[in-house]
Amino acid sequence: MTTALAALDEQAERLDADDVLAPLRDRFLLPDDVVYLDGNSLGPLPAAVPPALTDAVSRQWGTDLIRSWNTNGWWDAPLRVGDTIGRLLGAAPGQTVAGDSTSVQLYTALGAAAALRPHRTLLVTDPGHFPTDRYLAQAVADRHGLEVRRIPPADLPPFLAAEGERVVVISYSPVDFRTGELYDMRALTEAAHRAGALALWDLCHAAGALPLHLDALGVDLAVGCGYKFLNGGPGAPAYLYVARRHHEALRTPLPGWTGHADPFGLNRDYTPAPGIARARIGTPPILSLLALEAALTAFDGVDLAQVRAKSLSLTDFFLRCAAELLTPLGFAPVTPADPARRGSHVALRHPHAHGLTQALADRGVIVDMRAPDLLRFGVNALYTTHRNLVTAARHLHAVVRTAAYDPEPPPSGPVT
C-alpha cells in the first residue's frame, strides 16, 4: 500500500502542476481543512457571491427599494441570467429563462411538450431517472391522458423505431445521477426526432461540467438546477430552455402574470409574451437570481472543453486510486471506465456506504451516497485537485482498514 500511495502522490503532484485551470480555484471560498467532493449536489460558495448579495440587500433593496425593478435590472433578471446559463448550454440568446425550481421548470417543459404533440399518447422516460422526474412525468401524463413508458436509455432507439409514432416526448438526463454514466444525447435526440417526438433533457448533473450543444444537437427542451455545478447556492433558481423554433406554438401549463405580453396591463385574459419570456410565471426570486448571476462569473473566460478534459483527468485518476487502494477492500466501481461514457462523478459500491460517508465527513472529506450502497465522489474542474482525490482515497482506505465507521448508521442528508 505504501508503494502504491507514493506513486499516486507523485502522479497527483505532476497532474496538478500541469493544471491550466488551477487559478480558478481562487474564485471559490473553500475551507482549507475540507476536501469537498460533493459539488455535484451543492456547489461551494463562489467568492463573487457575498459582495453581490450585500449590494442586493443593502443598496438595491435597502436604499433603492421598489425602484430597483427598473434601475437595477430586477425585471430583466430571469432573461439576463437565462442567457448567461444558455452560453454554458450551447444555446443562442433568447431561449433560456431562469427562475422557479427544477420541479416547476420540468412540469412546465413536460406540459408544453404535451401541448406541442396533442395527438400522441406516450410519454417516455428513464426508469432510473431522479425521483422527481419520474413523479412529474406521471403527473403530466395523468393530466393529459397519456401513458408513461419507462425505457432504459440503451433500449430507447429500438423502442422508438417500433412505437415512436405514438411518443410525445422523451424525458432523460445525459448523466445518471447515481452512477455517473454518460448517455449519448445526440443519438437519443436524433432517435426521438426520427419518430417525430420531442427530446427533453434534465441537465442538472451536466451543465457546467461538460460542453453541451443544445442548439447544434437540435434539442427541443431542457431544464436544470442552479445549485450543483453552477454553484448558485442552496435552492438556487432553475432554468428552462426551449428551442426558438417552438416559441410561437409554446403553451405553458402555468401561465403567470410575468409571462403575459402586457404584464402590467392586468388584463382579464392571458396573452403569452413573445419568445421565451412567455415561460416566466410569477414574481422572480430576485435575491436568489442575483446570487446565481454572481456565481456564474466563476465561468468567465473558461473554456468548457478544458473543463471537460480536466474532469476526465480527475475521474480517471480517482478510478486508479480506487483500483490501487480500495478495490482490495471490497469497493467496486460502477462508473464506466470509458471516458466517453462518464460524467463528472465516480460512484463506488460498498455495503456500508452510509457509515463510510459519515466517517469521511468526520475526517474533513465531504462526499455523499445514494441508497442503498453507492458512495459518490463529485469533481468540479474549477476547484477540485488530483491531490483532493488521493487524500479522499487515503482516508477511505484508513477508515475501512481500522473499521472506524458505523456499519449501520441511520440514513441522513438530502438526495439531489
Side-chain angles (χ1 to χ4, degrees):
M1 185 270 191
T2 303
T3 302
L5 186 55
L8 292 170
D9 282 335
E10 180 182 347
Q11 185 180 9
E13 182 176 357
R14 184 173 66 255
L15 290 169
D16 286 340
D18 294 337
D19 178 16
V20 297
L21 300 181
L24 300 180
R25 188 175 173 85
D26 292 338
R27 297 183 181 184
F28 296 87
L29 300 176
L30 285 157
D32 293 334
D33 58 347
V34 169
V35 173
Y36 192 64
L37 300 175
D38 204 9
N40 53 319
S41 279
L42 175 66
L45 176 63
V49 171
L53 278 179
T54 297
D55 179 68
V57 172
S58 300
R59 180 184 65 83
Q60 297 181 38
W61 181 13
T63 300
D64 294 353
L65 295 165
I66 200 168
R67 293 170 294 181
S68 286
W69 286 105
N70 295 315
T71 59
N72 290 302
W74 287 2
W75 180 256
D76 297 326
L79 302 180
R80 184 178 71 243
V81 177
D83 280 343
T84 301
I85 295 170
R87 287 194 288 273
L88 300 176
L89 308 181
Q95 299 177 100
T96 311
V97 62
D100 299 295
S101 69
T102 310
S103 299
V104 171
Q105 299 290 22
L106 182 57
Y107 185 83
T108 297
L110 288 167
L116 286 168
R117 295 290 186 271
H119 303 299
R120 293 180 171 226
T121 59
L122 297 183
L123 193 163
V124 181
T125 192
D126 186 352
H129 225 337
F130 188 75
T132 292
D133 295 72
R134 289 185 278 115
Y135 305 157
L136 287 172
Q138 189 63 59
V140 170
D142 291 345
R143 180 180 180 184
H144 290 271
L146 304 175
E147 177 187 352
V148 175
R149 291 285 186 91
R150 295 175 175 85
I151 307 296
D155 298 333
L156 185 59
F159 173 82
L160 290 171
E163 299 193 50
E165 74 280 357
R166 300 173 56 203
V167 176
V168 172
V169 62
I170 64 164
S171 178
Y172 285 76
S173 172
V175 180
D176 188 301
F177 78 98
R178 300 155 305 175
T179 68
E181 181 174 0
L182 180 67
Y183 302 120
D184 190 337
M185 285 183 67
R186 180 183 297 278
L188 297 184
T189 298
E190 289 178 350
H193 288 169
R194 283 194 297 271
L198 300 169
L200 163 60
W201 290 95
D202 179 339
L203 305 177
C204 286
H205 285 273
L210 63 151
L212 295 164
H213 309 284
L214 300 192
D215 286 351
L217 295 180
V219 168
D220 300 288
L221 306 109
V223 301
C225 67
Y227 51 80
K228 297 183 189 292
F229 292 101
L230 300 187
N231 312 296
Y239 55 87
L240 168 68
Y241 162 91
V242 181
R244 195 181 310 278
R245 63 185 176 276
H246 296 305
H247 287 184
E248 186 174 350
L250 183 67
R251 295 295 181 267
T252 62
L254 299 171
W257 76 279
T258 66
H260 196 285
D262 182 16
F264 297 99
L266 306 180
N267 297 283
R268 184 188 67 181
D269 298 320
Y270 180 75
T271 302
I276 194 63
R278 67 183 56 194
R280 295 176 59 149
I281 301 171
T283 303
I286 291 300
L287 297 182
S288 296
L289 271 174
L290 296 182
L292 174 58
E293 184 171 37
L296 290 169
T297 63
F299 289 93
D300 286 354
V302 172
D303 182 347
L304 284 174
Q306 291 181 322
V307 168
R308 176 62 172 161
K310 181 181 174 184
S311 172
L312 290 176
S313 176
L314 290 164
T315 50
D316 273 336
F317 179 67
F318 188 69
L319 286 170
R320 180 187 171 190
C321 290
E324 296 282 348
L325 303 179
L326 303 175
T327 300
L329 299 180
F331 291 87
V334 298
T335 303
D338 180 359
R341 296 181 53 228
R342 190 166 67 241
S344 205
H345 72 264
V346 171
L348 303 180
R349 177 166 281 124
H350 191 281
H352 299 148
H354 275 299
L356 293 171
T357 300
Q358 186 173 22
L360 283 177
D362 291 341
R363 289 169 167 253
V365 178
I366 309 300
V367 302
D368 73 3
M369 61 84 58
R370 291 294 169 262
D373 58 0
L374 293 181
L375 292 93
R376 297 193 315 172
F377 300 80
V379 306
N380 186 321
L382 302 187
Y383 57 80
T384 306
T385 67
H386 297 81
R387 170 62 56 193
N388 291 154
L389 296 171
V390 73
T391 299
R394 178 192 292 112
H395 279 294
L396 188 53
H397 181 276
V399 166
V400 175
R401 286 292 300 270
T402 60
Y405 63 93
D406 183 348
E408 295 183 2
S412 62
V415 178
T416 58

